[in-house]
Amino acid sequence: LCIMAQKTTSSIHESLARVILPDGILDLFEVTNVEEEHTGILQETGLELRIIHIYLAERDLRGKEWHDLTPNGFTEAKCINDFPIRGHKVVLHVSRRRWLDHAGKSVILPHESLTAADTRYSKEFADILKKIFGYLPNTGPLSGAIL
């Protein structure tokens, strides 16, 4: 008999995210949900534009100096980046952990920014654009804060 372990939905979502997301992001966040949005909008190729929403929640990575904090849920998911992949759009939604200190004050621990300065591009995507164009585009289809 050959018994195969059936993958859970969450492990499938994590596998998908590992392929799509920048290296290291799943060290900081875990995938909580993946949703596919059908837009009904046809592109030049005749294929429908679909939007894949990936929801990430911050992992508990507190150092020893922060272990006196009490968990207090998560922030609302915030869109930090969206980018095209094979005619589709992937949108990242991130929730940060909230904590209460000993005085009952709400705290969100600092960590390295996930986006390039003054943009909503991931650092990795901004690096690719800089290599291609020599700068971050501010006109044309790659302009603006959303990619």
PDB file of all heavy atoms in Angstrom, residues 7-36:
ATOM      1  N   LYS A   7      -2.090  17.186   1.148  1.00  0.00           N
ATOM      2  CA  LYS A   7      -1.701  18.539   1.536  1.00  0.00           C
ATOM      3  C   LYS A   7      -2.912  19.308   2.024  1.00  0.00           C
ATOM      4  O   LYS A   7      -3.994  19.205   1.463  1.00  0.00           O
ATOM      5  CB  LYS A   7      -1.084  19.286   0.360  1.00  0.00           C
ATOM      6  CG  LYS A   7       0.324  18.931   0.084  1.00  0.00           C
ATOM      7  CD  LYS A   7       0.928  19.965  -0.827  1.00  0.00           C
ATOM      8  CE  LYS A   7       2.425  19.753  -0.880  1.00  0.00           C
ATOM      9  NZ  LYS A   7       3.087  20.853  -1.521  1.00  0.00           N
ATOM     10  N   THR A   8      -2.727  20.073   3.078  1.00  0.00           N
ATOM     11  CA  THR A   8      -3.799  20.924   3.569  1.00  0.00           C
ATOM     12  C   THR A   8      -3.858  22.177   2.705  1.00  0.00           C
ATOM     13  O   THR A   8      -2.908  22.522   2.017  1.00  0.00           O
ATOM     14  CB  THR A   8      -3.548  21.338   5.026  1.00  0.00           C
ATOM     15  OG1 THR A   8      -2.361  22.132   5.070  1.00  0.00           O
ATOM     16  CG2 THR A   8      -3.409  20.130   5.936  1.00  0.00           C
ATOM     17  N   THR A   9      -4.992  22.854   2.759  1.00  0.00           N
ATOM     18  CA  THR A   9      -5.151  24.084   1.993  1.00  0.00           C
ATOM     19  C   THR A   9      -4.093  25.092   2.384  1.00  0.00           C
ATOM     20  O   THR A   9      -3.515  25.760   1.527  1.00  0.00           O
ATOM     21  CB  THR A   9      -6.561  24.672   2.221  1.00  0.00           C
ATOM     22  OG1 THR A   9      -7.520  23.708   1.811  1.00  0.00           O
ATOM     23  CG2 THR A   9      -6.758  25.942   1.431  1.00  0.00           C
ATOM     24  N   SER A  10      -3.788  25.194   3.688  1.00  0.00           N
ATOM     25  CA  SER A  10      -2.795  26.184   4.120  1.00  0.00           C
ATOM     26  C   SER A  10      -1.401  25.856   3.582  1.00  0.00           C
ATOM     27  O   SER A  10      -0.649  26.757   3.221  1.00  0.00           O
ATOM     28  CB  SER A  10      -2.767  26.305   5.640  1.00  0.00           C
ATOM     29  OG  SER A  10      -2.381  25.085   6.228  1.00  0.00           O
ATOM     30  N   SER A  11      -1.035  24.580   3.488  1.00  0.00           N
ATOM     31  CA  SER A  11       0.284  24.254   2.944  1.00  0.00           C
ATOM     32  C   SER A  11       0.334  24.509   1.441  1.00  0.00           C
ATOM     33  O   SER A  11       1.376  24.868   0.901  1.00  0.00           O
ATOM     34  CB  SER A  11       0.686  22.813   3.280  1.00  0.00           C
ATOM     35  OG  SER A  11      -0.123  21.887   2.610  1.00  0.00           O
ATOM     36  N   ILE A  12      -0.799  24.328   0.746  1.00  0.00           N
ATOM     37  CA  ILE A  12      -0.853  24.655  -0.678  1.00  0.00           C
ATOM     38  C   ILE A  12      -0.695  26.165  -0.864  1.00  0.00           C
ATOM     39  O   ILE A  12       0.047  26.620  -1.728  1.00  0.00           O
ATOM     40  CB  ILE A  12      -2.169  24.148  -1.315  1.00  0.00           C
ATOM     41  CG1 ILE A  12      -2.167  22.623  -1.333  1.00  0.00           C
ATOM     42  CG2 ILE A  12      -2.351  24.710  -2.717  1.00  0.00           C
ATOM     43  CD1 ILE A  12      -3.500  22.001  -1.699  1.00  0.00           C
ATOM     44  N   HIS A  13      -1.394  26.946  -0.031  1.00  0.00           N
ATOM     45  CA  HIS A  13      -1.269  28.408  -0.094  1.00  0.00           C
ATOM     46  C   HIS A  13       0.171  28.843   0.174  1.00  0.00           C
ATOM     47  O   HIS A  13       0.698  29.710  -0.510  1.00  0.00           O
ATOM     48  CB  HIS A  13      -2.195  29.083   0.912  1.00  0.00           C
ATOM     49  CG  HIS A  13      -3.641  28.978   0.545  1.00  0.00           C
ATOM     50  ND1 HIS A  13      -4.642  29.252   1.425  1.00  0.00           N
ATOM     51  CD2 HIS A  13      -4.262  28.628  -0.609  1.00  0.00           C
ATOM     52  CE1 HIS A  13      -5.813  29.087   0.838  1.00  0.00           C
ATOM     53  NE2 HIS A  13      -5.596  28.706  -0.395  1.00  0.00           N
ATOM     54  N   GLU A  14       0.804  28.226   1.156  1.00  0.00           N
ATOM     55  CA  GLU A  14       2.188  28.586   1.471  1.00  0.00           C
ATOM     56  C   GLU A  14       3.122  28.208   0.326  1.00  0.00           C
ATOM     57  O   GLU A  14       4.026  28.968  -0.017  1.00  0.00           O
ATOM     58  CB  GLU A  14       2.647  27.930   2.765  1.00  0.00           C
ATOM     59  CG  GLU A  14       4.020  28.413   3.176  1.00  0.00           C
ATOM     60  CD  GLU A  14       4.415  27.984   4.572  1.00  0.00           C
ATOM     61  OE1 GLU A  14       3.548  27.876   5.439  1.00  0.00           O
ATOM     62  OE2 GLU A  14       5.623  27.774   4.780  1.00  0.00           O
ATOM     63  N   SER A  15       2.902  27.057  -0.297  1.00  0.00           N
ATOM     64  CA  SER A  15       3.730  26.646  -1.436  1.00  0.00           C
ATOM     65  C   SER A  15       3.593  27.638  -2.584  1.00  0.00           C
ATOM     66  O   SER A  15       4.582  28.034  -3.199  1.00  0.00           O
ATOM     67  CB  SER A  15       3.335  25.245  -1.915  1.00  0.00           C
ATOM     68  OG  SER A  15       3.593  24.300  -0.913  1.00  0.00           O
ATOM     69  N   LEU A  16       2.363  28.061  -2.880  1.00  0.00           N
ATOM     70  CA  LEU A  16       2.118  29.058  -3.912  1.00  0.00           C
ATOM     71  C   LEU A  16       2.833  30.361  -3.568  1.00  0.00           C
ATOM     72  O   LEU A  16       3.523  30.951  -4.404  1.00  0.00           O
ATOM     73  CB  LEU A  16       0.613  29.318  -4.064  1.00  0.00           C
ATOM     74  CG  LEU A  16       0.213  30.511  -4.916  1.00  0.00           C
ATOM     75  CD1 LEU A  16       0.533  30.253  -6.383  1.00  0.00           C
ATOM     76  CD2 LEU A  16      -1.265  30.824  -4.735  1.00  0.00           C
ATOM     77  N   ALA A  17       2.699  30.795  -2.320  1.00  0.00           N
ATOM     78  CA  ALA A  17       3.311  32.058  -1.894  1.00  0.00           C
ATOM     79  C   ALA A  17       4.836  32.001  -1.989  1.00  0.00           C
ATOM     80  O   ALA A  17       5.473  32.975  -2.374  1.00  0.00           O
ATOM     81  CB  ALA A  17       2.877  32.401  -0.479  1.00  0.00           C
ATOM     82  N   ARG A  18       5.432  30.867  -1.665  1.00  0.00           N
ATOM     83  CA  ARG A  18       6.897  30.739  -1.743  1.00  0.00           C
ATOM     84  C   ARG A  18       7.402  30.946  -3.171  1.00  0.00           C
ATOM     85  O   ARG A  18       8.480  31.474  -3.380  1.00  0.00           O
ATOM     86  CB  ARG A  18       7.361  29.388  -1.225  1.00  0.00           C
ATOM     87  CG  ARG A  18       7.329  29.287   0.264  1.00  0.00           C
ATOM     88  CD  ARG A  18       8.225  28.191   0.798  1.00  0.00           C
ATOM     89  NE  ARG A  18       8.037  28.069   2.226  1.00  0.00           N
ATOM     90  CZ  ARG A  18       8.567  28.877   3.129  1.00  0.00           C
ATOM     91  NH1 ARG A  18       9.322  29.873   2.744  1.00  0.00           N
ATOM     92  NH2 ARG A  18       8.344  28.703   4.410  1.00  0.00           N
ATOM     93  N   VAL A  19       6.617  30.530  -4.149  1.00  0.00           N
ATOM     94  CA  VAL A  19       7.008  30.689  -5.553  1.00  0.00           C
ATOM     95  C   VAL A  19       6.863  32.141  -5.996  1.00  0.00           C
ATOM     96  O   VAL A  19       7.691  32.661  -6.727  1.00  0.00           O
ATOM     97  CB  VAL A  19       6.150  29.770  -6.461  1.00  0.00           C
ATOM     98  CG1 VAL A  19       6.384  30.067  -7.925  1.00  0.00           C
ATOM     99  CG2 VAL A  19       6.422  28.310  -6.149  1.00  0.00           C
ATOM    100  N   ILE A  20       5.817  32.807  -5.530  1.00  0.00           N
ATOM    101  CA  ILE A  20       5.479  34.145  -6.001  1.00  0.00           C
ATOM    102  C   ILE A  20       6.173  35.259  -5.234  1.00  0.00           C
ATOM    103  O   ILE A  20       6.612  36.242  -5.824  1.00  0.00           O
ATOM    104  CB  ILE A  20       3.945  34.355  -5.926  1.00  0.00           C
ATOM    105  CG1 ILE A  20       3.247  33.415  -6.915  1.00  0.00           C
ATOM    106  CG2 ILE A  20       3.562  35.792  -6.192  1.00  0.00           C
ATOM    107  CD1 ILE A  20       1.739  33.439  -6.803  1.00  0.00           C
ATOM    108  N   LEU A  21       6.284  35.119  -3.921  1.00  0.00           N
ATOM    109  CA  LEU A  21       6.744  36.223  -3.068  1.00  0.00           C
ATOM    110  C   LEU A  21       8.259  36.329  -3.008  1.00  0.00           C
ATOM    111  O   LEU A  21       8.968  35.347  -3.241  1.00  0.00           O
ATOM    112  CB  LEU A  21       6.179  36.052  -1.657  1.00  0.00           C
ATOM    113  CG  LEU A  21       4.658  36.046  -1.566  1.00  0.00           C
ATOM    114  CD1 LEU A  21       4.215  35.794  -0.127  1.00  0.00           C
ATOM    115  CD2 LEU A  21       4.073  37.333  -2.085  1.00  0.00           C
ATOM    116  N   PRO A  22       8.752  37.520  -2.662  1.00  0.00           N
ATOM    117  CA  PRO A  22      10.204  37.701  -2.511  1.00  0.00           C
ATOM    118  C   PRO A  22      10.772  36.783  -1.432  1.00  0.00           C
ATOM    119  O   PRO A  22      10.087  36.464  -0.453  1.00  0.00           O
ATOM    120  CB  PRO A  22      10.335  39.167  -2.085  1.00  0.00           C
ATOM    121  CG  PRO A  22       9.057  39.816  -2.496  1.00  0.00           C
ATOM    122  CD  PRO A  22       8.000  38.751  -2.438  1.00  0.00           C
ATOM    123  N   ASP A  23      12.012  36.352  -1.637  1.00  0.00           N
ATOM    124  CA  ASP A  23      12.681  35.493  -0.658  1.00  0.00           C
ATOM    125  C   ASP A  23      12.663  36.136   0.717  1.00  0.00           C
ATOM    126  O   ASP A  23      12.867  37.338   0.857  1.00  0.00           O
ATOM    127  CB  ASP A  23      14.143  35.247  -1.064  1.00  0.00           C
ATOM    128  CG  ASP A  23      14.257  34.332  -2.271  1.00  0.00           C
ATOM    129  OD1 ASP A  23      13.297  33.595  -2.547  1.00  0.00           O
ATOM    130  OD2 ASP A  23      15.309  34.370  -2.934  1.00  0.00           O
ATOM    131  N   GLY A  24      12.408  35.317   1.722  1.00  0.00           N
ATOM    132  CA  GLY A  24      12.488  35.775   3.103  1.00  0.00           C
ATOM    133  C   GLY A  24      11.205  36.326   3.690  1.00  0.00           C
ATOM    134  O   GLY A  24      11.082  36.434   4.903  1.00  0.00           O
ATOM    135  N   ILE A  25      10.221  36.658   2.864  1.00  0.00           N
ATOM    136  CA  ILE A  25       9.015  37.273   3.413  1.00  0.00           C
ATOM    137  C   ILE A  25       8.237  36.284   4.285  1.00  0.00           C
ATOM    138  O   ILE A  25       7.631  36.668   5.281  1.00  0.00           O
ATOM    139  CB  ILE A  25       8.117  37.889   2.314  1.00  0.00           C
ATOM    140  CG1 ILE A  25       7.125  38.873   2.945  1.00  0.00           C
ATOM    141  CG2 ILE A  25       7.395  36.829   1.523  1.00  0.00           C
ATOM    142  CD1 ILE A  25       6.451  39.790   1.977  1.00  0.00           C
ATOM    143  N   LEU A  26       8.302  34.986   3.961  1.00  0.00           N
ATOM    144  CA  LEU A  26       7.582  34.008   4.769  1.00  0.00           C
ATOM    145  C   LEU A  26       8.333  33.656   6.052  1.00  0.00           C
ATOM    146  O   LEU A  26       7.826  32.916   6.877  1.00  0.00           O
ATOM    147  CB  LEU A  26       7.250  32.765   3.956  1.00  0.00           C
ATOM    148  CG  LEU A  26       6.239  33.016   2.831  1.00  0.00           C
ATOM    149  CD1 LEU A  26       5.911  31.725   2.096  1.00  0.00           C
ATOM    150  CD2 LEU A  26       4.971  33.670   3.341  1.00  0.00           C
ATOM    151  N   ASP A  27       9.534  34.216   6.224  1.00  0.00           N
ATOM    152  CA  ASP A  27      10.204  34.119   7.518  1.00  0.00           C
ATOM    153  C   ASP A  27       9.564  35.089   8.503  1.00  0.00           C
ATOM    154  O   ASP A  27       9.570  34.858   9.709  1.00  0.00           O
ATOM    155  CB  ASP A  27      11.690  34.454   7.387  1.00  0.00           C
ATOM    156  CG  ASP A  27      12.430  33.439   6.528  1.00  0.00           C
ATOM    157  OD1 ASP A  27      11.946  32.293   6.373  1.00  0.00           O
ATOM    158  OD2 ASP A  27      13.492  33.803   5.996  1.00  0.00           O
ATOM    159  N   LEU A  28       9.013  36.176   7.987  1.00  0.00           N
ATOM    160  CA  LEU A  28       8.383  37.205   8.814  1.00  0.00           C
ATOM    161  C   LEU A  28       6.872  37.041   8.933  1.00  0.00           C
ATOM    162  O   LEU A  28       6.271  37.458   9.925  1.00  0.00           O
ATOM    163  CB  LEU A  28       8.668  38.595   8.235  1.00  0.00           C
ATOM    164  CG  LEU A  28      10.120  39.002   8.091  1.00  0.00           C
ATOM    165  CD1 LEU A  28      10.236  40.309   7.317  1.00  0.00           C
ATOM    166  CD2 LEU A  28      10.767  39.120   9.455  1.00  0.00           C
ATOM    167  N   PHE A  29       6.253  36.460   7.898  1.00  0.00           N
ATOM    168  CA  PHE A  29       4.797  36.365   7.837  1.00  0.00           C
ATOM    169  C   PHE A  29       4.365  34.955   7.466  1.00  0.00           C
ATOM    170  O   PHE A  29       5.092  34.244   6.794  1.00  0.00           O
ATOM    171  CB  PHE A  29       4.238  37.339   6.786  1.00  0.00           C
ATOM    172  CG  PHE A  29       4.500  38.771   7.111  1.00  0.00           C
ATOM    173  CD1 PHE A  29       5.631  39.402   6.641  1.00  0.00           C
ATOM    174  CD2 PHE A  29       3.609  39.489   7.890  1.00  0.00           C
ATOM    175  CE1 PHE A  29       5.882  40.727   6.945  1.00  0.00           C
ATOM    176  CE2 PHE A  29       3.855  40.816   8.205  1.00  0.00           C
ATOM    177  CZ  PHE A  29       4.987  41.434   7.728  1.00  0.00           C
ATOM    178  N   GLU A  30       3.156  34.588   7.888  1.00  0.00           N
ATOM    179  CA  GLU A  30       2.576  33.323   7.460  1.00  0.00           C
ATOM    180  C   GLU A  30       1.356  33.607   6.594  1.00  0.00           C
ATOM    181  O   GLU A  30       0.673  34.614   6.768  1.00  0.00           O
ATOM    182  CB  GLU A  30       2.209  32.448   8.651  1.00  0.00           C
ATOM    183  CG  GLU A  30       1.152  33.015   9.551  1.00  0.00           C
ATOM    184  CD  GLU A  30       0.899  32.127  10.757  1.00  0.00           C
ATOM    185  OE1 GLU A  30       0.437  30.984  10.554  1.00  0.00           O
ATOM    186  OE2 GLU A  30       1.163  32.577  11.874  1.00  0.00           O
ATOM    187  N   VAL A  31       1.109  32.726   5.652  1.00  0.00           N
ATOM    188  CA  VAL A  31      -0.037  32.875   4.755  1.00  0.00           C
ATOM    189  C   VAL A  31      -1.286  32.448   5.519  1.00  0.00           C
ATOM    190  O   VAL A  31      -1.348  31.342   6.048  1.00  0.00           O
ATOM    191  CB  VAL A  31       0.127  32.004   3.492  1.00  0.00           C
ATOM    192  CG1 VAL A  31      -1.089  32.127   2.592  1.00  0.00           C
ATOM    193  CG2 VAL A  31       1.393  32.384   2.748  1.00  0.00           C
ATOM    194  N   THR A  32      -2.279  33.347   5.584  1.00  0.00           N
ATOM    195  CA  THR A  32      -3.525  33.018   6.269  1.00  0.00           C
ATOM    196  C   THR A  32      -4.655  32.714   5.296  1.00  0.00           C
ATOM    197  O   THR A  32      -5.599  32.026   5.642  1.00  0.00           O
ATOM    198  CB  THR A  32      -3.959  34.151   7.213  1.00  0.00           C
ATOM    199  OG1 THR A  32      -4.111  35.361   6.460  1.00  0.00           O
ATOM    200  CG2 THR A  32      -2.937  34.346   8.321  1.00  0.00           C
ATOM    201  N   ASN A  33      -4.544  33.235   4.067  1.00  0.00           N
ATOM    202  CA  ASN A  33      -5.594  32.991   3.089  1.00  0.00           C
ATOM    203  C   ASN A  33      -5.104  33.394   1.701  1.00  0.00           C
ATOM    204  O   ASN A  33      -4.250  34.266   1.564  1.00  0.00           O
ATOM    205  CB  ASN A  33      -6.856  33.785   3.438  1.00  0.00           C
ATOM    206  CG  ASN A  33      -8.070  33.301   2.676  1.00  0.00           C
ATOM    207  OD1 ASN A  33      -8.108  32.189   2.155  1.00  0.00           O
ATOM    208  ND2 ASN A  33      -9.085  34.139   2.596  1.00  0.00           N
ATOM    209  N   VAL A  34      -5.656  32.749   0.696  1.00  0.00           N
ATOM    210  CA  VAL A  34      -5.434  33.128  -0.701  1.00  0.00           C
ATOM    211  C   VAL A  34      -6.801  33.115  -1.366  1.00  0.00           C
ATOM    212  O   VAL A  34      -7.553  32.145  -1.231  1.00  0.00           O
ATOM    213  CB  VAL A  34      -4.474  32.159  -1.425  1.00  0.00           C
ATOM    214  CG1 VAL A  34      -4.357  32.510  -2.901  1.00  0.00           C
ATOM    215  CG2 VAL A  34      -3.104  32.149  -0.769  1.00  0.00           C
ATOM    216  N   GLU A  35      -7.133  34.211  -2.049  1.00  0.00           N
ATOM    217  CA  GLU A  35      -8.416  34.302  -2.757  1.00  0.00           C
ATOM    218  C   GLU A  35      -8.151  34.695  -4.199  1.00  0.00           C
ATOM    219  O   GLU A  35      -7.241  35.462  -4.480  1.00  0.00           O
ATOM    220  CB  GLU A  35      -9.321  35.365  -2.114  1.00  0.00           C
ATOM    221  CG  GLU A  35      -9.728  35.053  -0.698  1.00  0.00           C
ATOM    222  CD  GLU A  35     -10.512  36.190  -0.053  1.00  0.00           C
ATOM    223  OE1 GLU A  35     -10.652  37.267  -0.672  1.00  0.00           O
ATOM    224  OE2 GLU A  35     -10.968  36.003   1.082  1.00  0.00           O
ATOM    225  N   GLU A  36      -8.983  34.182  -5.089  1.00  0.00           N
ATOM    226  CA  GLU A  36      -8.883  34.534  -6.501  1.00  0.00           C
ATOM    227  C   GLU A  36     -10.114  35.356  -6.880  1.00  0.00           C
ATOM    228  O   GLU A  36     -11.240  34.962  -6.606  1.00  0.00           O
ATOM    229  CB  GLU A  36      -8.812  33.275  -7.362  1.00  0.00           C
ATOM    230  CG  GLU A  36      -8.628  33.571  -8.826  1.00  0.00           C
ATOM    231  CD  GLU A  36      -8.535  32.297  -9.650  1.00  0.00           C
ATOM    232  OE1 GLU A  36      -8.963  31.224  -9.184  1.00  0.00           O
ATOM    233  OE2 GLU A  36      -8.044  32.387 -10.777  1.00  0.00           O
TER     234      GLU A  36
END
